[in-house]
Amino acid sequence: ETGVTQSPTHLIKTRGQQVTLRCSSQSGHNTVSWYQQALGQGPQFIFQYYREEENGRGNFPPRFSGLQFPNYSSELNVNALELDDSALYLCASRWTGEETQYFGPGTRLLVL
Amino acid sequence: AQSVAQPEDQVNVAEGNPLTVKCTYSVSGNPYLFWYVQYPNRGLQFLLKYITGDNLVKGSYGFEAEFNKSQTSFHLKKPSALVSDSALYFCAVRDGNFGNEKLTFGTGTRLTIIP
């Protein structure tokens, strides 16, 4: 196991609702990235946080937003949920000088 | 833009035989290349990476990969497959230029080792 934890493990929401997913980084890691993995696809980069600021973003709309806290834990917020938001959401952490990202087990979100 | 292609959705190998999972990439700067494995209902587990140096890199569980710059490939290999190697494998690339740190993944290759 990597030491990256995510909560909850599973979540069911209805279209239009809002959701918050949480990630606790591996000890000593100060950079957090979030990825969306749709069924049968590879993970897609959503955004990255470093020093509590977003410093990189993929092709996702503004209703996907995030936070990083002083202890380097992180949240992913998704507003106005759509059916296509159903996916496995993965958090990955690393130390900024290290190239390897270490992934958590993911949160599986189902939007009905 | 950076991209990864994994041309085989499914690879079947008999236990004890060598295995290869193929990956080609496209990136404008220096390629940082990674292999991850995903078991059912689990996150991604890091196997190995190429950043610079020797083209043959060794990783966890007896896996290795060879970086080929001219063919823009980074194939994953193992000399003798185990049933426990059955899983979903992802190749990923990152542009080594500072400030572009996102990983771009391929669509994955499902490896099945047949006893």
Side-chain angles (χ1 to χ4, degrees), chain A:
Chain A
E1 300 298 328
T2 63
V4 180
T5 60
Q6 293 186 242
S7 62
T9 56
H10 295 82
L11 202 52
I12 300 175
K13 292 285 188 179
T14 56
R15 194 171 47 183
Q17 285 188 312
Q18 178 266 344
V19 68
T20 297
L21 310 181
R22 294 177 175 83
C23 171
S24 178
S25 301
Q26 183 169 323
S27 178
H29 288 185
N30 60 1
T31 301
V32 175
S33 299
W34 285 90
Y35 292 81
Q36 180 195 66
Q37 185 180 13
L39 198 62
Q41 301 295 319
Q44 300 286 321
F45 175 74
I46 303 175
F47 45 54
Q48 175 177 280
Y49 275 80
Y50 171 63
R51 291 186 174 177
E52 303 176 47
E53 291 190 359
E54 182 183 301
N55 74 339
R57 190 175 185 93
N59 188 27
F60 281 83
R63 61 188 185 85
F64 285 78
S65 63
L67 286 172
Q68 186 183 30
F69 300 100
N71 67 353
Y72 305 134
S73 66
S74 176
E75 287 183 355
L76 165 65
N77 298 290
V78 187
N79 294 322
L81 283 167
E82 301 177 358
L83 298 179
D84 285 348
D85 296 334
S86 296
L88 180 68
Y89 288 86
L90 296 164
C91 165
S93 74
R94 65 183 178 92
W95 174 250
T96 191
E98 157 75 43
E99 297 87 10
T100 304
Q101 296 185 27
Y102 295 92
F103 285 79
T107 294
R108 189 164 296 281
L109 172 66
L110 178 60
V111 182
L112 301 176

Side-chain angles (χ1 to χ4, degrees), chain A residues 33-35 44-48 55-59 94 101, chain B residues 1-3 27 32 34 92-97 99-105:
Chain A
S33 299
W34 285 90
Y35 292 81
Q44 300 286 321
F45 175 74
I46 303 175
F47 45 54
Q48 175 177 280
N55 74 339
R57 190 175 185 93
N59 188 27
R94 65 183 178 92
Q101 296 185 27
Chain B
Q2 55 197 47
S3 65
V27 67
Y32 288 4
F34 304 81
V93 68
R94 181 198 137 184
D95 190 324
N97 294 336
N100 184 2
E101 300 177 354
K102 74 171 187 177
L103 282 179
T104 296
F105 286 85

Side-chain angles (χ1 to χ4, degrees), chain B residues 10 20 26 50 61 73 113:
Chain B
Q10 174 83 39
T20 298
S26 174
Y50 171 83
Y61 312 116
S73 67
I113 308 303

Side-chain angles (χ1 to χ4, degrees), chain B residues 53-95:
Chain B
D54 195 350
N55 289 344
L56 183 65
V57 294
K58 295 184 182 297
S60 306
Y61 312 116
F63 284 94
E64 59 188 28
E66 186 167 11
F67 170 66
N68 187 317
K69 186 174 183 179
S70 62
Q71 297 185 4
T72 62
S73 67
F74 189 58
H75 301 332
L76 181 70
K77 300 181 180 184
K78 188 174 182 181
S80 179
L82 301 173
V83 172
S84 57
D85 294 330
S86 297
L88 187 57
Y89 289 80
F90 289 98
C91 180
V93 68
R94 181 198 137 184
D95 190 324

